[in-house]
Amino acid sequence: MIKREITNNLQKMTEYYPVVSLTGPRQSGKSTLVKEAFPGYEYFNLEEKSLYFEALNNPEGFINNIKGKAIIDEAQLVPDLFSAIQVAVDKKQENGNFILSGSQNFLLSENITQSLAGRVGICELLPLNYYELYNSEYKTNINQFILHGGYPRLYVNKTPMSIHYRNYLRSYVKRDVEGYLRVRNSMDYERLISLLASNVGQLLNYKRLSNDLGVEINTVKSWISLLISSYIVYIVPSYSTNIRKRVIRTPKIYFYDTGLLCHLMRIHDETTLLHDEKYGLIFENFIMTEMVKSYFNSLQDHYLYFYRDSHGNEIDIVDITNPRNVVVAEVKSGMTMMNKYNKVLYKAEEELNIKQLKKQIIYNGDRNFDFDGTKVISAESFLLSNMNNLEKSLDMFSDDFLTEGRGLQGSQTREL
């Protein structure tokens, strides 16, 4: 099994809550993880028809027949189970009784809100990140990881990319879309996913998407909401000094998995990837998503933005998760540092009205150095700095990190 960075935090959560939920996209490794992390728990998968009908017809009896601690996979398939679980945990008054996992976050969250509020610790598992794969037997390079994505089955089962993503999309549309939104024309929905891929890293224009698809704008919004809730895409808001305007301003669209993104863009090999006109945006998507994964694995809320002024000058990443340690970063797919990369960051403090910013340029080269007050960091050093476990994160701004070559690698990372 590939070691997942979230494991310790997931296990720790059972010390504080009677119920722990683990959601995430399909095939991100949730079932494998919960069975590995909690070997003493009885395991129930509600996708098994016999268990499903048993739980559906008698949810109270199903829960009451569980004598010890249990994992219930795809728990959202039987919404009435949540009320039965609430009654059971209130009687026991013990922590760590149930582990609930499921792929439909929009359903699971709704049921948790109604029945298990205050009784559940919520965790989310995204596909593998680069750090996890690099430190496994399936070690790869950055471009190959971007191309393949992070779904474990691609590596453990050696499933060909074209087969995996073709079937992933088909099963996703069939089950999640036709099953829950009752979309009359699933082809339009599939076209929407492809259109979003072609606009990755760009402003999300609902009106243009509506016109391109020939469907109502509210329909487009509801479909994108489903894609977000299903961990297919996510949006990054535009930063403004006015908190209200952050919600109003147009966000950017990104994909949680670059392998799926590349498949939708019909990029199937490294040469095509490197020569694609949107390689820079794909690389930006990759770095942004790795940051999102790091926060998810550390069970921390994150506040990531981009910034664009009225003249079109843009900063790729504004991370204000820690307001006392704000980081602004430019992401560049090139292998050579250029002076112009630092141009926008140079005026960032004045433009964003945030003092003492830490400025980064994350690029595809192999050296780390200081350039006019900005830390220039190779993407691989950035990704292998154990950033994916923020409780043990490496200080990217410490002097000893700024070394020649690829920086600290894998097991060489320093614990603070």
Side-chain angles (χ1 to χ4, degrees), residues 127-367:
L128 295 164
N129 62 33
Y130 185 75
Y131 179 85
E132 289 169 328
L133 197 67
Y134 187 93
N135 287 284
S136 75
E137 62 184 287
Y138 307 103
K139 177 178 175 180
T140 187
N141 63 44
I142 285 177
N143 287 323
Q144 281 296 319
F145 183 78
I146 290 173
L147 194 62
H148 284 77
Y151 288 98
R153 181 168 295 184
L154 286 162
Y155 303 96
V156 177
N157 293 351
K158 296 182 170 38
T159 307
M161 289 184 298
S162 58
I163 293 175
H164 172 83
Y165 286 112
R166 179 173 178 270
N167 289 329
Y168 189 90
L169 281 170
R170 288 195 170 190
S171 62
Y172 166 72
V173 171
K174 182 175 180 58
R175 296 183 59 174
D176 291 353
V177 178
E178 295 178 359
Y180 295 106
L181 275 190
R182 304 287 187 245
V183 176
R184 293 181 179 178
N185 189 349
S186 61
M187 289 185 65
D188 284 342
Y189 192 83
E190 292 182 65
R191 284 176 59 215
L192 170 64
I193 301 174
S194 295
L195 281 173
L196 292 176
S198 67
N199 287 280
V200 68
Q202 300 177 48
L203 298 181
L204 180 57
N205 189 325
Y206 290 106
K207 185 176 181 179
R208 187 175 66 188
L209 291 169
S210 172
N211 291 337
D212 289 345
L213 292 168
V215 300
E216 294 292 330
I217 191 168
N218 287 336
T219 299
V220 171
K221 289 181 177 180
S222 68
W223 288 356
I224 291 177
S225 178
L226 177 62
L227 286 168
I228 292 170
S229 298
S230 301
Y231 302 95
I232 301 298
V233 301
Y234 64 98
I235 59 175
V236 174
S238 172
Y239 180 81
S240 170
T241 54
N242 185 322
I243 295 177
R244 282 176 148 181
K245 288 184 179 179
R246 293 180 199 169
V247 179
I248 299 171
R249 290 188 174 186
T250 307
K252 283 185 177 183
I253 191 79
Y254 292 97
F255 277 70
Y256 276 114
D257 187 76
T258 55
L260 176 60
L261 172 62
C262 288
H263 176 81
L264 289 165
M265 297 177 72
R266 300 182 183 179
I267 299 172
H268 303 298
D269 59 77
E270 192 169 352
T271 300
T272 305
L273 173 66
L274 291 172
H275 290 89
D276 192 276
E277 63 179 1
K278 294 185 177 178
Y279 174 59
L281 291 170
I282 297 170
F283 189 80
E284 178 185 313
N285 187 138
F286 168 61
I287 294 295
M288 180 71 83
T289 301
E290 291 293 292
M291 293 181 70
V292 171
K293 289 175 183 177
S294 74
Y295 283 118
F296 274 38
N297 289 339
S298 298
L299 308 187
Q300 293 192 32
D301 291 333
H302 58 274
Y303 299 90
L304 297 172
Y305 300 86
F306 74 96
Y307 175 76
R308 175 179 289 183
D309 67 17
S310 57
H311 302 291
N313 298 314
E314 188 170 302
I315 298 173
D316 295 328
I317 299 172
V318 180
D319 185 353
I320 63 169
T321 302
N322 182 350
R324 291 168 296 280
N325 186 33
V326 177
V327 177
V328 293
E330 279 288 279
V331 179
K332 300 299 179 183
S333 60
M335 299 182 69
T336 304
M337 167 62 189
M338 298 184 182
N339 292 347
K340 64 180 181 180
Y341 294 168
N342 201 32
K343 183 178 179 181
V344 179
L345 295 181
Y346 188 72
K347 294 185 177 181
E349 287 187 9
E350 179 182 345
E351 292 285 332
L352 301 180
N353 195 26
I354 300 174
K355 301 302 180 184
Q356 296 181 333
L357 289 175
K358 291 184 176 180
K359 300 186 282 292
Q360 295 179 350
I361 293 172
I362 303 165
Y363 78 124
N364 214 3
D366 59 3
R367 296 178 60 240

Side-chain angles (χ1 to χ4, degrees), residues 131 134-135 384 408-414:
Y131 179 85
Y134 187 93
N135 287 284
L384 296 182
L408 302 179
Q409 306 278 314
S411 62
Q412 294 176 285
T413 52
R414 172 169 58 85

